[in-house]
Short mmCIF file of all heavy atoms in Angstrom, two decimals:
data_model
loop_
_atom_site.label_atom_id
_atom_site.label_comp_id
_atom_site.label_asym_id
_atom_site.label_seq_id
_atom_site.Cartn_x
_atom_site.Cartn_y
_atom_site.Cartn_z
N TYR O 89 -99.62 84.04 90.81
CA TYR O 89 -100.12 85.37 90.73
C TYR O 89 -99.06 86.32 90.28
O TYR O 89 -99.36 87.25 89.42
CB TYR O 89 -100.62 85.86 92.10
CG TYR O 89 -102.01 85.32 92.49
CD1 TYR O 89 -102.26 84.87 93.85
CD2 TYR O 89 -103.03 85.28 91.58
CE1 TYR O 89 -103.47 84.45 94.15
CE2 TYR O 89 -104.29 84.81 91.95
CZ TYR O 89 -104.47 84.42 93.19
OH TYR O 89 -105.75 83.94 93.60
N CYS O 129 -105.24 76.85 95.66
CA CYS O 129 -104.32 77.97 95.58
C CYS O 129 -103.16 77.68 94.60
O CYS O 129 -102.72 78.64 93.86
CB CYS O 129 -103.77 78.30 96.92
SG CYS O 129 -105.02 78.69 98.17
N ASN O 133 -104.92 77.96 90.53
CA ASN O 133 -104.33 79.10 89.67
C ASN O 133 -103.45 78.59 88.52
O ASN O 133 -103.53 79.25 87.46
CB ASN O 133 -103.49 79.98 90.61
CG ASN O 133 -104.34 80.91 91.50
OD1 ASN O 133 -105.11 81.61 90.99
ND2 ASN O 133 -104.16 80.88 92.80
N ILE O 187 -113.37 77.68 103.05
CA ILE O 187 -112.57 77.97 101.91
C ILE O 187 -112.35 76.78 100.99
O ILE O 187 -112.13 76.94 99.74
CB ILE O 187 -111.07 78.44 102.38
CG1 ILE O 187 -111.25 79.66 103.31
CG2 ILE O 187 -110.18 78.78 101.25
CD1 ILE O 187 -111.85 80.87 102.67
N GLU O 190 -114.59 75.95 97.49
CA GLU O 190 -114.44 76.44 96.14
C GLU O 190 -113.88 75.33 95.25
O GLU O 190 -114.26 75.19 94.10
CB GLU O 190 -113.38 77.64 96.22
CG GLU O 190 -113.30 78.38 94.89
CD GLU O 190 -112.51 79.71 94.98
OE1 GLU O 190 -111.85 79.93 96.03
OE2 GLU O 190 -112.48 80.44 94.03
N ALA O 259 -112.94 86.01 108.84
CA ALA O 259 -112.39 86.38 107.46
C ALA O 259 -112.67 85.16 106.56
O ALA O 259 -113.12 85.35 105.42
CB ALA O 259 -110.94 86.66 107.53
N TRP O 260 -112.37 83.94 107.02
CA TRP O 260 -112.67 82.79 106.20
C TRP O 260 -114.10 82.68 105.86
O TRP O 260 -114.52 82.30 104.74
CB TRP O 260 -112.21 81.50 106.91
CG TRP O 260 -110.78 81.28 107.16
CD1 TRP O 260 -110.24 80.68 108.35
CD2 TRP O 260 -109.66 81.44 106.31
NE1 TRP O 260 -108.87 80.60 108.23
CE2 TRP O 260 -108.51 81.05 107.02
CE3 TRP O 260 -109.50 81.93 105.03
CZ2 TRP O 260 -107.19 81.11 106.43
CZ3 TRP O 260 -108.20 82.02 104.39
CH2 TRP O 260 -107.06 81.62 105.16
N ILE O 262 -116.29 85.17 105.65
CA ILE O 262 -116.69 86.23 104.61
C ILE O 262 -116.27 85.78 103.24
O ILE O 262 -117.01 85.87 102.27
CB ILE O 262 -116.06 87.58 105.03
CG1 ILE O 262 -116.66 88.10 106.38
CG2 ILE O 262 -116.15 88.65 103.96
CD1 ILE O 262 -115.91 89.27 107.03
N TYR O 263 -115.07 85.28 103.16
CA TYR O 263 -114.56 84.86 101.82
C TYR O 263 -115.35 83.64 101.36
O TYR O 263 -115.77 83.60 100.16
CB TYR O 263 -113.10 84.49 102.04
CG TYR O 263 -112.27 84.32 100.71
CD1 TYR O 263 -111.27 85.23 100.38
CD2 TYR O 263 -112.53 83.26 99.89
CE1 TYR O 263 -110.52 85.11 99.24
CE2 TYR O 263 -111.77 83.11 98.72
CZ TYR O 263 -110.79 84.01 98.40
OH TYR O 263 -110.04 83.89 97.23
N GLY O 264 -115.61 82.72 102.26
CA GLY O 264 -116.32 81.48 101.85
C GLY O 264 -117.75 81.72 101.37
O GLY O 264 -118.19 81.16 100.38
N THR O 266 -118.89 84.49 100.22
CA THR O 266 -118.87 85.22 98.90
C THR O 266 -118.69 84.21 97.75
O THR O 266 -119.43 84.33 96.75
CB THR O 266 -117.71 86.18 98.92
OG1 THR O 266 -117.86 87.12 99.98
CG2 THR O 266 -117.55 86.96 97.62
N VAL O 267 -117.89 83.21 97.90
CA VAL O 267 -117.72 82.18 96.97
C VAL O 267 -119.08 81.36 96.76
O VAL O 267 -119.47 81.05 95.65
CB VAL O 267 -116.55 81.21 97.31
CG1 VAL O 267 -116.57 80.03 96.39
CG2 VAL O 267 -115.28 81.94 97.24
N ARG O 270 -121.24 83.40 94.64
CA ARG O 270 -120.78 83.38 93.24
C ARG O 270 -121.18 82.07 92.56
O ARG O 270 -121.64 82.03 91.41
CB ARG O 270 -119.25 83.47 93.23
CG ARG O 270 -118.64 83.47 91.80
CD ARG O 270 -117.31 82.69 91.82
NE ARG O 270 -116.37 83.31 92.71
CZ ARG O 270 -115.31 82.62 93.13
NH1 ARG O 270 -115.09 81.35 92.80
NH2 ARG O 270 -114.42 83.22 93.95
N VAL O 281 -123.83 86.95 103.84
CA VAL O 281 -122.45 87.38 103.84
C VAL O 281 -122.39 88.93 104.23
O VAL O 281 -121.40 89.34 104.83
CB VAL O 281 -121.76 87.10 102.51
CG1 VAL O 281 -122.22 87.96 101.37
CG2 VAL O 281 -120.19 87.17 102.65
N THR O 285 -120.23 90.21 107.31
CA THR O 285 -119.22 91.26 107.00
C THR O 285 -119.39 92.49 107.90
O THR O 285 -118.45 93.07 108.45
CB THR O 285 -119.37 91.64 105.50
OG1 THR O 285 -119.05 90.50 104.77
CG2 THR O 285 -118.38 92.71 105.18
N TYR O 288 -118.08 92.40 111.36
CA TYR O 288 -116.67 92.44 111.32
C TYR O 288 -116.20 93.83 111.12
O TYR O 288 -115.34 94.46 111.79
CB TYR O 288 -116.15 91.53 110.20
CG TYR O 288 -114.64 91.56 109.94
CD1 TYR O 288 -113.78 90.60 110.51
CD2 TYR O 288 -114.12 92.50 109.09
CE1 TYR O 288 -112.49 90.60 110.22
CE2 TYR O 288 -112.72 92.55 108.82
CZ TYR O 288 -111.90 91.55 109.38
OH TYR O 288 -110.54 91.61 109.12
N LEU O 289 -116.82 94.60 110.15
CA LEU O 289 -116.40 95.90 109.76
C LEU O 289 -116.71 96.90 110.84
O LEU O 289 -115.89 97.81 111.08
CB LEU O 289 -116.97 96.41 108.51
CG LEU O 289 -116.64 95.68 107.17
CD1 LEU O 289 -117.41 96.28 105.91
CD2 LEU O 289 -115.21 95.67 106.85
N GLY O 296 -108.25 99.36 109.60
CA GLY O 296 -108.91 98.28 108.88
C GLY O 296 -108.17 96.98 109.09
O GLY O 296 -108.62 95.93 108.47
N ALA O 314 -102.68 90.76 110.06
CA ALA O 314 -102.68 91.26 108.67
C ALA O 314 -103.29 90.23 107.75
O ALA O 314 -103.82 90.63 106.69
CB ALA O 314 -101.26 91.70 108.29
N SER O 315 -103.11 88.95 108.07
CA SER O 315 -103.69 87.93 107.15
C SER O 315 -105.19 88.09 107.07
O SER O 315 -105.75 87.93 105.98
CB SER O 315 -103.27 86.49 107.58
OG SER O 315 -103.97 86.05 108.66
N ALA O 316 -105.88 88.32 108.17
CA ALA O 316 -107.34 88.46 108.12
C ALA O 316 -107.72 89.67 107.29
O ALA O 316 -108.59 89.62 106.48
CB ALA O 316 -107.89 88.61 109.54
N ALA O 317 -106.93 90.77 107.39
CA ALA O 317 -107.21 91.98 106.57
C ALA O 317 -107.04 91.67 105.11
O ALA O 317 -107.85 92.07 104.28
CB ALA O 317 -106.27 93.07 107.03
N ALA O 318 -106.01 90.89 104.72
CA ALA O 318 -105.79 90.57 103.27
C ALA O 318 -106.95 89.67 102.76
O ALA O 318 -107.39 89.86 101.64
CB ALA O 318 -104.41 89.90 103.13
N ILE O 319 -107.32 88.67 103.62
CA ILE O 319 -108.38 87.80 103.15
C ILE O 319 -109.69 88.60 102.94
O ILE O 319 -110.37 88.36 101.98
CB ILE O 319 -108.59 86.64 104.25
CG1 ILE O 319 -107.35 85.78 104.30
CG2 ILE O 319 -109.83 85.85 103.96
CD1 ILE O 319 -107.26 85.00 105.67
N VAL O 320 -110.01 89.42 103.94
CA VAL O 320 -111.27 90.18 103.82
C VAL O 320 -111.22 91.20 102.72
O VAL O 320 -112.17 91.33 101.94
CB VAL O 320 -111.57 90.86 105.18
CG1 VAL O 320 -112.81 91.79 105.04
CG2 VAL O 320 -111.88 89.86 106.25
N ALA O 321 -110.07 91.82 102.49
CA ALA O 321 -109.95 92.81 101.41
C ALA O 321 -110.21 92.09 100.06
O ALA O 321 -110.97 92.57 99.23
CB ALA O 321 -108.60 93.43 101.38
N SER O 322 -109.66 90.95 99.89
CA SER O 322 -109.79 90.21 98.66
C SER O 322 -111.25 89.80 98.43
O SER O 322 -111.84 89.94 97.37
CB SER O 322 -108.93 88.93 98.65
OG SER O 322 -108.97 88.32 97.42
N ALA O 323 -111.91 89.32 99.57
CA ALA O 323 -113.28 88.90 99.49
C ALA O 323 -114.21 90.08 99.14
O ALA O 323 -115.12 90.00 98.29
CB ALA O 323 -113.73 88.19 100.79
N LEU O 324 -113.97 91.19 99.83
CA LEU O 324 -114.86 92.34 99.63
C LEU O 324 -114.80 92.93 98.26
O LEU O 324 -115.73 93.45 97.70
CB LEU O 324 -114.58 93.44 100.70
CG LEU O 324 -114.89 93.08 102.12
CD1 LEU O 324 -114.79 94.35 103.00
CD2 LEU O 324 -116.26 92.43 102.26
N LEU O 325 -113.59 92.84 97.63
CA LEU O 325 -113.50 93.28 96.25
C LEU O 325 -114.41 92.49 95.36
O LEU O 325 -115.09 93.06 94.44
CB LEU O 325 -112.09 93.29 95.78
CG LEU O 325 -111.16 94.37 96.47
CD1 LEU O 325 -109.69 94.06 96.15
CD2 LEU O 325 -111.55 95.75 96.09
N GLU O 326 -114.44 91.15 95.56
CA GLU O 326 -115.34 90.33 94.78
C GLU O 326 -116.78 90.64 95.15
O GLU O 326 -117.63 90.88 94.30
CB GLU O 326 -115.05 88.88 95.00
CG GLU O 326 -116.06 88.01 94.23
CD GLU O 326 -115.87 86.50 94.40
OE1 GLU O 326 -114.90 86.03 95.04
OE2 GLU O 326 -116.67 85.74 93.74
N LEU O 327 -117.07 90.68 96.49
CA LEU O 327 -118.42 90.86 96.99
C LEU O 327 -119.07 92.14 96.44
O LEU O 327 -120.23 92.22 96.13
CB LEU O 327 -118.44 90.84 98.55
CG LEU O 327 -119.79 90.94 99.19
CD1 LEU O 327 -120.77 89.86 98.73
CD2 LEU O 327 -119.60 90.84 100.72
N SER O 328 -118.24 93.20 96.32
CA SER O 328 -118.71 94.51 95.87
C SER O 328 -119.33 94.38 94.42
O SER O 328 -120.17 95.21 94.07
CB SER O 328 -117.62 95.56 95.95
OG SER O 328 -116.68 95.34 94.93
N THR O 329 -118.84 93.43 93.75
CA THR O 329 -119.29 93.31 92.31
C THR O 329 -120.65 92.63 92.25
O THR O 329 -121.33 92.65 91.16
CB THR O 329 -118.32 92.55 91.42
OG1 THR O 329 -118.22 91.14 91.84
CG2 THR O 329 -116.90 93.13 91.40
N TYR O 330 -121.13 92.03 93.37
CA TYR O 330 -122.47 91.35 93.37
C TYR O 330 -123.50 92.30 93.94
O TYR O 330 -124.67 91.92 94.05
CB TYR O 330 -122.40 90.05 94.14
CG TYR O 330 -121.33 89.12 93.69
CD1 TYR O 330 -120.52 88.34 94.58
CD2 TYR O 330 -121.09 88.96 92.33
CE1 TYR O 330 -119.59 87.50 94.09
CE2 TYR O 330 -120.18 88.07 91.88
CZ TYR O 330 -119.37 87.37 92.75
OH TYR O 330 -118.37 86.51 92.30
N TYR O 339 -118.27 98.42 100.54
CA TYR O 339 -117.29 97.26 100.62
C TYR O 339 -116.06 97.54 99.84
O TYR O 339 -114.95 97.16 100.22
CB TYR O 339 -118.00 95.97 100.17
CG TYR O 339 -119.07 95.52 101.15
CD1 TYR O 339 -120.00 94.57 100.72
CD2 TYR O 339 -119.12 95.96 102.45
CE1 TYR O 339 -120.93 94.07 101.66
CE2 TYR O 339 -120.00 95.51 103.39
CZ TYR O 339 -120.92 94.54 102.95
OH TYR O 339 -121.86 94.09 103.91
N LYS O 340 -116.19 98.19 98.68
CA LYS O 340 -115.02 98.47 97.85
C LYS O 340 -114.10 99.48 98.65
O LYS O 340 -112.89 99.34 98.67
CB LYS O 340 -115.33 99.02 96.43
CG LYS O 340 -114.10 99.10 95.62
CD LYS O 340 -114.30 99.45 94.18
CE LYS O 340 -112.91 99.59 93.54
NZ LYS O 340 -112.86 100.49 92.40
N ALA O 342 -114.02 99.88 101.86
CA ALA O 342 -113.45 99.21 102.99
C ALA O 342 -112.21 98.41 102.60
O ALA O 342 -111.11 98.39 103.27
CB ALA O 342 -114.47 98.33 103.66
N ALA O 343 -112.40 97.67 101.51
CA ALA O 343 -111.22 96.92 100.97
C ALA O 343 -110.09 97.82 100.51
O ALA O 343 -108.88 97.48 100.80
CB ALA O 343 -111.72 96.03 99.72
N THR O 344 -110.39 98.94 99.96
CA THR O 344 -109.33 99.85 99.61
C THR O 344 -108.58 100.35 100.84
O THR O 344 -107.35 100.45 100.81
CB THR O 344 -109.94 101.07 98.78
OG1 THR O 344 -110.72 100.50 97.68
CG2 THR O 344 -108.92 101.96 98.26
N LYS O 345 -109.34 100.69 101.79
CA LYS O 345 -108.68 101.17 103.10
C LYS O 345 -107.79 100.11 103.65
O LYS O 345 -106.65 100.40 104.07
CB LYS O 345 -109.85 101.52 104.07
CG LYS O 345 -109.38 101.83 105.46
CD LYS O 345 -108.98 103.26 105.51
CE LYS O 345 -107.88 103.46 106.60
NZ LYS O 345 -107.09 104.61 106.48
N MET O 346 -108.24 98.85 103.63
CA MET O 346 -107.44 97.74 104.22
C MET O 346 -106.11 97.67 103.36
O MET O 346 -104.99 97.47 103.88
CB MET O 346 -108.15 96.48 104.07
CG MET O 346 -109.32 96.38 105.08
SD MET O 346 -110.45 94.94 104.75
CE MET O 346 -111.95 95.52 105.54
N LEU O 347 -106.25 97.73 102.06
CA LEU O 347 -105.07 97.61 101.18
C LEU O 347 -104.12 98.82 101.39
O LEU O 347 -102.92 98.64 101.38
CB LEU O 347 -105.42 97.46 99.73
CG LEU O 347 -106.03 96.10 99.35
CD1 LEU O 347 -106.42 96.09 97.86
CD2 LEU O 347 -105.03 94.99 99.60
N GLU O 348 -104.72 100.01 101.55
CA GLU O 348 -103.90 101.15 101.77
C GLU O 348 -103.04 100.94 103.08
O GLU O 348 -101.84 101.28 103.10
CB GLU O 348 -104.73 102.39 102.04
CG GLU O 348 -105.09 103.19 100.85
CD GLU O 348 -105.75 104.46 101.23
OE1 GLU O 348 -106.62 104.47 102.13
OE2 GLU O 348 -105.45 105.49 100.55
N LEU O 350 -102.22 98.01 104.41
CA LEU O 350 -101.23 96.94 104.17
C LEU O 350 -100.09 97.43 103.32
O LEU O 350 -98.95 96.91 103.50
CB LEU O 350 -101.86 95.70 103.61
CG LEU O 350 -102.95 95.03 104.43
CD1 LEU O 350 -103.58 93.85 103.66
CD2 LEU O 350 -102.33 94.51 105.82
N TYR O 384 -99.70 82.83 104.11
CA TYR O 384 -101.05 83.01 103.54
C TYR O 384 -101.44 84.50 103.58
O TYR O 384 -102.32 84.93 102.74
CB TYR O 384 -102.05 82.15 104.23
CG TYR O 384 -102.02 82.09 105.77
CD1 TYR O 384 -102.55 82.96 106.66
CD2 TYR O 384 -101.37 80.96 106.36
CE1 TYR O 384 -102.51 82.82 107.96
CE2 TYR O 384 -101.34 80.81 107.72
CZ TYR O 384 -101.86 81.78 108.53
OH TYR O 384 -101.75 81.67 109.95
N ALA O 385 -100.88 85.31 104.47
CA ALA O 385 -101.19 86.79 104.41
C ALA O 385 -100.68 87.31 103.07
O ALA O 385 -101.37 88.08 102.40
CB ALA O 385 -100.45 87.52 105.55
N ASP O 386 -99.46 86.90 102.65
CA ASP O 386 -98.90 87.30 101.40
C ASP O 386 -99.77 86.87 100.22
O ASP O 386 -99.99 87.55 99.21
CB ASP O 386 -97.44 86.84 101.24
CG ASP O 386 -96.47 87.55 102.14
OD1 ASP O 386 -96.90 88.36 102.99
OD2 ASP O 386 -95.27 87.33 101.99
N TYR O 387 -100.22 85.69 100.33
CA TYR O 387 -100.99 85.10 99.18
C TYR O 387 -102.30 85.89 99.01
O TYR O 387 -102.61 86.30 97.84
CB TYR O 387 -101.41 83.63 99.50
CG TYR O 387 -102.35 83.04 98.52
CD1 TYR O 387 -101.89 82.41 97.35
CD2 TYR O 387 -103.75 83.10 98.71
CE1 TYR O 387 -102.77 81.88 96.40
CE2 TYR O 387 -104.63 82.58 97.78
CZ TYR O 387 -104.14 81.95 96.59
OH TYR O 387 -104.94 81.43 95.66
N TYR O 388 -103.02 86.20 100.07
CA TYR O 388 -104.30 86.88 99.87
C TYR O 388 -104.08 88.36 99.58
O TYR O 388 -104.90 89.03 98.99
CB TYR O 388 -105.23 86.70 101.10
CG TYR O 388 -105.76 85.29 101.10
CD1 TYR O 388 -105.22 84.27 101.91
CD2 TYR O 388 -106.79 84.94 100.25
CE1 TYR O 388 -105.73 83.01 101.88
CE2 TYR O 388 -107.34 83.62 100.19
CZ TYR O 388 -106.70 82.66 101.00
OH TYR O 388 -107.19 81.36 100.95
N TYR O 389 -102.90 88.91 100.02
CA TYR O 389 -102.52 90.30 99.72
C TYR O 389 -102.33 90.42 98.18
O TYR O 389 -102.92 91.34 97.53
CB TYR O 389 -101.28 90.65 100.49
CG TYR O 389 -100.74 92.02 100.20
CD1 TYR O 389 -101.39 93.18 100.40
CD2 TYR O 389 -99.39 92.04 99.62
CE1 TYR O 389 -100.71 94.42 100.14
CE2 TYR O 389 -98.78 93.30 99.36
CZ TYR O 389 -99.48 94.48 99.64
OH TYR O 389 -98.90 95.67 99.35
N ILE O 390 -101.49 89.55 97.63
CA ILE O 390 -101.30 89.70 96.17
C ILE O 390 -102.55 89.40 95.35
O ILE O 390 -102.84 90.04 94.36
CB ILE O 390 -100.06 88.85 95.69
CG1 ILE O 390 -99.64 89.28 94.24
CG2 ILE O 390 -100.27 87.42 95.87
CD1 ILE O 390 -98.32 88.65 93.81
N GLU O 391 -103.35 88.42 95.87
CA GLU O 391 -104.62 88.18 95.21
C GLU O 391 -105.46 89.40 95.25
O GLU O 391 -106.14 89.77 94.23
CB GLU O 391 -105.35 87.03 95.96
CG GLU O 391 -106.74 86.66 95.33
CD GLU O 391 -107.42 85.58 96.04
OE1 GLU O 391 -107.24 84.45 95.75
OE2 GLU O 391 -108.28 85.91 96.93
N ALA O 392 -105.57 90.05 96.41
CA ALA O 392 -106.42 91.33 96.53
C ALA O 392 -105.95 92.37 95.58
O ALA O 392 -106.71 93.10 94.98
CB ALA O 392 -106.47 91.75 97.96
N LEU O 393 -104.57 92.52 95.50
CA LEU O 393 -104.05 93.57 94.61
C LEU O 393 -104.44 93.34 93.18
O LEU O 393 -104.82 94.29 92.46
CB LEU O 393 -102.53 93.66 94.79
CG LEU O 393 -102.00 94.15 96.10
CD1 LEU O 393 -100.49 94.05 96.19
CD2 LEU O 393 -102.41 95.71 96.27
N LEU O 394 -104.39 92.06 92.76
CA LEU O 394 -104.74 91.75 91.36
C LEU O 394 -106.20 91.97 91.16
O LEU O 394 -106.62 92.47 90.15
CB LEU O 394 -104.38 90.30 91.04
CG LEU O 394 -102.90 90.03 90.79
CD1 LEU O 394 -102.58 88.54 90.85
CD2 LEU O 394 -102.47 90.63 89.42
N ARG O 395 -107.04 91.59 92.14
CA ARG O 395 -108.49 91.83 92.02
C ARG O 395 -108.73 93.39 91.97
O ARG O 395 -109.56 93.78 91.15
CB ARG O 395 -109.22 91.22 93.23
CG ARG O 395 -109.25 89.76 93.22
CD ARG O 395 -110.05 89.18 94.31
NE ARG O 395 -110.17 87.73 94.16
CZ ARG O 395 -110.94 86.98 94.93
NH1 ARG O 395 -111.71 87.51 95.90
NH2 ARG O 395 -111.05 85.66 94.62
N TYR O 396 -108.03 94.11 92.76
CA TYR O 396 -108.24 95.59 92.79
C TYR O 396 -107.79 96.14 91.38
O TYR O 396 -108.53 97.00 90.81
CB TYR O 396 -107.35 96.17 93.86
CG TYR O 396 -107.56 97.69 94.02
CD1 TYR O 396 -108.52 98.24 94.86
CD2 TYR O 396 -106.76 98.57 93.33
CE1 TYR O 396 -108.69 99.60 94.94
CE2 TYR O 396 -106.89 99.89 93.37
CZ TYR O 396 -107.85 100.42 94.25
OH TYR O 396 -108.09 101.79 94.32
N LYS O 397 -106.72 95.72 90.83
CA LYS O 397 -106.33 96.21 89.56
C LYS O 397 -107.29 95.80 88.48
O LYS O 397 -107.64 96.65 87.62
CB LYS O 397 -104.94 95.51 89.19
CG LYS O 397 -104.30 95.89 87.89
CD LYS O 397 -102.93 95.30 87.81
CE LYS O 397 -102.45 95.23 86.39
NZ LYS O 397 -102.29 96.55 85.71
N ARG O 398 -107.77 94.55 88.49
CA ARG O 398 -108.75 94.14 87.45
C ARG O 398 -110.00 94.97 87.53
O ARG O 398 -110.50 95.44 86.53
CB ARG O 398 -109.10 92.68 87.60
CG ARG O 398 -107.97 91.75 87.27
CD ARG O 398 -108.46 90.27 87.34
NE ARG O 398 -107.41 89.35 87.60
CZ ARG O 398 -107.32 88.70 88.69
NH1 ARG O 398 -108.21 88.77 89.69
NH2 ARG O 398 -106.33 87.83 88.90
N LEU O 399 -110.52 95.20 88.73
CA LEU O 399 -111.72 95.99 88.93
C LEU O 399 -111.57 97.35 88.33
O LEU O 399 -112.38 97.81 87.56
CB LEU O 399 -112.02 96.18 90.41
CG LEU O 399 -112.96 95.20 91.05
CD1 LEU O 399 -113.25 95.66 92.44
CD2 LEU O 399 -114.33 95.24 90.33
N VAL O 405 -113.28 90.56 88.01
CA VAL O 405 -112.51 90.66 89.18
C VAL O 405 -111.70 89.39 89.50
O VAL O 405 -110.60 89.46 90.11
CB VAL O 405 -113.40 91.03 90.40
CG1 VAL O 405 -114.33 89.86 90.70
CG2 VAL O 405 -112.65 91.46 91.62
N LEU O 406 -112.16 88.26 89.00
CA LEU O 406 -111.51 87.01 89.30
C LEU O 406 -110.44 86.59 88.32
O LEU O 406 -109.75 85.61 88.44
CB LEU O 406 -112.53 85.86 89.41
CG LEU O 406 -113.60 86.09 90.47
CD1 LEU O 406 -114.69 85.04 90.40
CD2 LEU O 406 -112.96 86.16 91.85
N GLY O 407 -110.32 87.36 87.21
CA GLY O 407 -109.33 87.09 86.22
C GLY O 407 -109.75 85.94 85.33
O GLY O 407 -108.85 85.25 84.73
#
Side-chain angles (χ1 to χ4, degrees):
Y89 281 140
C129 300
N133 280 308
I187 302 297
E190 192 170 9
W260 293 138
I262 293 167
Y263 195 111
T266 300
V267 170
R270 179 216 303 159
V281 72
T285 298
Y288 175 97
L289 294 181
S315 76
I319 295 159
V320 172
S322 186
L324 293 190
L325 289 170
E326 177 180 359
L327 183 56
S328 71
T329 67
Y330 305 139
Y339 288 164
K340 188 174 176 207
T344 305
K345 173 82 210 160
M346 291 166 201
L347 286 178
E348 268 189 322
L350 296 177
Y384 44 82
D386 287 7
Y387 174 87
Y388 288 99
Y389 173 64
I390 191 170
E391 179 182 273
L393 290 172
L394 283 166
R395 287 181 174 193
Y396 184 90
K397 179 174 162 61
R398 291 188 205 110
L399 263 185
V405 68
L406 302 174

